[in-house]
Amino acid sequence: MPIKKFIRKIINKKQAMQIKLPIVNKQDYQILVDNIPQNAINTLEKFHRSKYQAYLVGGSVRDLLLRISPKDIDIATDATPEKIYKLFRNCRLIGKRFRLAHLLFNRSIIEVATFRSEGQYQGKHHKKNNHGMIVRDNIYGNIEEDAWRRDFSINSLYYDAVRNNLIDFTGGFADIQKKLLRIIGVPDIRYREDPVRMIRAIRFSAKLEFSIEKMTSQGIHHNKHLITHVSTVRLFDEVIKLFHCGCAEKIYVLLNTYGFFKILFPSTQQVINHHPIQERILLYTFRSTDKRIKANKPVTPAFLFVAILWPVLQSEVNKPDTEQISITKKIDSSIRSIIAKQIETISISKRFIRSIKEIFTLQNRLERRRGKSPLSLLHHPRFRAAYDFLLIRAESGEIEQNIADWWTKFQEADEPTQLEMLDELHK
Ligand code: ATP
Ligand code: MG
């Protein structure tokens, strides 16, 4: 082992021994063991047998305290990724910015991270860019440092499920009881380091029904413009997490309160300012997404972007023509330019772009119902999504309800009735 690494290891071990763990009084909380997957308990035990520290951490501890069964499990440990890899046969090491271990089980993955510190200095392992944003943070630390570099106090609790020990360095337990979302540290610095923390705040506040602590909230107002510094790929993931968390309607209100919606979707904002029906389409889409998620039905990012970009498409298509082009061509070229503009802020992968385009172009065809085309449209791979969107447009008052009703009846009818319906339509 290189001498530097050896010394660091000794220092870390010494520090770990010196830290007095702030253990929460056991009488003050109750965590139901049944809510913790057995794989997680086994993993903690295995670490302990090899004399490593290991705790459940982050969202899983927060959710356990709130009696919500955690959607994924994160573990934090003082073992390095290489040690974790040696210890577990089901381990894959991932990550460029920071090495993480994934433990693969039949139907789930447990993510294991080595305690990290958010060093005060800049160096080879820890780097911020000119905006104060962290671009590399590769320094291992102890449990206390790991706690302080996390985003919110409620996400910074550690739980040793084997010994039933809850460790709280940042006051997260009290905040959970107060239903309060509080950023750790100085808001301006923490948001500058990683602007995504601002929209994470919105997601947690909506999802958990927590209020946002005053300084945490003011910091968002001051730093919201930094959100555009985040990579477009990461923004796509975060925006999808926002709208697919089961409370999109609430999220939309919060995004507007903090002024994020117009930063993320400037063209949409411009149109809906003057067209309430278009905003209603958005609201109904969010409401329907929330319902689908509660009912465990599938949802797709494509549908979300269709609803968000629809107002822009309408405004483009309705602009007076300077040259003679067919409506289909006009729709096609508008779609292309609208998507090109949007992906300057939020990247959308090719596969979703294809679906978005299809759902857009199907709207016109569903409305027109030319000749026998409705029969083949029923078999279009994007028919279902396009029909669902048509229903929302009708419900919002953008198109006649009888067009949506016609399609509802048409797809459920037998063939002779379908032919009759087509005859009737073209009389
Ligand atoms: P969810 O229920 O959405 O999974 P979560 O809190 O578990 O919520 P993750 O994205 O899974 O969120 O992250 C796990 C933990 O990592 C968080 O609880 C937090 O402690 C830490 N974390 C995640 N993102 C950040 C960030 N941008 N800055 C600081 N800490 C973060
Ligand atoms: Mg999580």
Side-chain angles (χ1 to χ4, degrees), residues 239 243 252 255-256 259-283 285-286 302-316 319 334-335 337-343 345-346 348 356 360 389 398:
V239 162
F243 289 115
Y252 178 64
L255 285 179
N256 278 318
F260 279 116
F261 194 82
K262 67 167 178 261
I263 298 179
L264 296 172
F265 306 105
S267 316
T268 308
Q269 183 71 56
Q270 263 183 8
V271 181
I272 61 179
N273 282 344
H274 310 287
H275 295 89
I277 287 190
Q278 295 297 335
E279 184 172 33
R280 219 178 297 149
I281 294 181
L282 259 186
L283 284 172
T285 302
F286 295 146
F303 197 86
L304 208 62
F305 277 95
V306 162
I308 293 176
L309 296 176
W310 181 255
V312 194
L313 181 63
Q314 290 318 289
S315 125
E316 284 297 311
K319 275 186 188 155
S334 303
I335 292 175
S337 66
I338 288 164
I339 293 180
K341 185 112 209 308
Q342 182 62 59
I343 60 179
T345 341
I346 302 175
I348 309 174
I356 295 168
F360 272 155
F389 190 58
E398 192 196 38

Side-chain angles (χ1 to χ4, degrees), residues 58-59 62 71 74 150-151 155 194 197 200 203-204:
R62 175 196 72 213
K71 77 175 166 42
D74 292 307
R150 290 180 181 271
D151 50 4
N155 285 348
D194 184 2
R197 288 171 185 153
R200 280 174 66 85
R203 175 156 59 91
F204 293 129

Side-chain angles (χ1 to χ4, degrees), residues 57-60 62-63 71-72 74 111 118 149-152 154-156 190 194 196-197 200 203-204 207 234 241:
V57 68
S60 51
R62 175 196 72 213
D63 291 350
K71 77 175 166 42
D72 48 33
D74 292 307
E111 193 168 284
E118 200 159 76
R149 61 116 194 140
R150 290 180 181 271
D151 50 4
F152 303 101
I154 61 163
N155 285 348
S156 174
R190 300 308 310 284
D194 184 2
V196 161
R197 288 171 185 153
R200 280 174 66 85
R203 175 156 59 91
F204 293 129
K207 181 103 204 262
R234 186 157 177 232
K241 277 193 211 160

Side-chain angles (χ1 to χ4, degrees), residues 160-211:
D160 175 350
V162 180
R163 303 178 182 112
N164 183 24
N165 276 343
L166 182 66
I167 321 277
D168 179 10
F169 287 98
T170 62
F173 183 62
D175 285 339
I176 287 200
Q177 287 172 315
K178 286 186 258 176
K179 291 178 139 291
L180 202 58
L181 189 77
R182 184 197 305 273
I183 188 121
I184 296 173
V186 180
D188 283 349
I189 299 179
R190 300 308 310 284
Y191 294 138
R192 222 177 297 143
E193 282 172 354
D194 184 2
V196 161
R197 288 171 185 153
M198 296 186 284
I199 49 179
R200 280 174 66 85
I202 288 182
R203 175 156 59 91
F204 293 129
S205 149
K207 181 103 204 262
L208 305 169
E209 299 184 334
F210 275 32
S211 43

